[in-house]
Amino acid sequence: MVSSSSAANSKDASNLVLATTLTFFFAELPLGIIYMLDPFAGFKEKGFDMQVVLSTLFQLFSIILTVTTATHMVICLLISSEYRKACLFIIRCGYVPKTKKQTQFVIFNSKTRSTAY
């Protein structure tokens, strides 16, 4: 049974990842179209320069793609514990730190009062 707070957190995380993914495709798809139109952009017609338009759009969508790419890793690190473990494993070059042994101390009260009459 899943608690309502963990279900809400999971839904928020899913929405955040979905928003990041949609932003990525919003930037990547136009860049692909710009690359396909680039060979045909050498014409000028009545003051309309296709190369300037494509260059401006390329710069705009490149900025969006760069911001999305830069924030995606941070979002994944904040959301996913598995992602954090994998990143730490890579950063440590495969070294897994030993877990500290927890020692338990039991204290006995050895002071007993004996009264003699």
Side-chain angles (χ1 to χ4, degrees):
M1 188 175 226
V2 178
S3 68
S4 61
S5 65
S6 71
N9 288 342
S10 176
K11 184 178 180 183
D12 291 341
S14 297
N15 289 338
L16 191 56
V17 170
L18 180 65
T20 305
T21 304
L22 289 177
T23 308
F24 173 80
F25 283 117
F26 174 74
E28 192 69 31
L29 180 66
L31 284 175
I33 293 171
I34 290 169
Y35 278 119
M36 288 187 333
L37 292 178
D38 192 42
F40 309 109
F43 70 92
K44 290 184 181 180
E45 187 175 314
K46 297 181 183 177
F48 180 74
D49 190 5
M50 185 70 160
Q51 189 66 39
V52 172
V53 172
L54 289 179
S55 176
T56 304
L57 289 173
F58 177 79
Q59 290 174 354
L60 172 71
F61 288 113
S62 292
I63 290 170
I64 294 171
L65 182 63
T66 302
V67 170
T68 303
T69 303
T71 58
H72 184 76
M73 180 182 164
V74 175
I75 290 171
C76 288
L77 279 173
L78 293 175
I79 291 175
S80 173
S81 61
E82 291 88 11
Y83 195 84
R84 283 191 296 269
K85 287 177 187 176
C87 286
L88 285 174
F89 184 78
I90 291 170
I91 290 170
R92 293 179 182 149
C93 297
Y95 174 75
V96 179
K98 295 179 182 177
T99 56
K100 293 181 179 178
K101 251 187 188 178
Q102 292 185 355
T103 56
Q104 294 180 352
F105 294 101
V106 179
I107 300 174
F108 292 103
N109 188 1
S110 61
K111 295 181 182 178
T112 57
R113 293 185 186 198
S114 60
T115 55
Y117 289 102

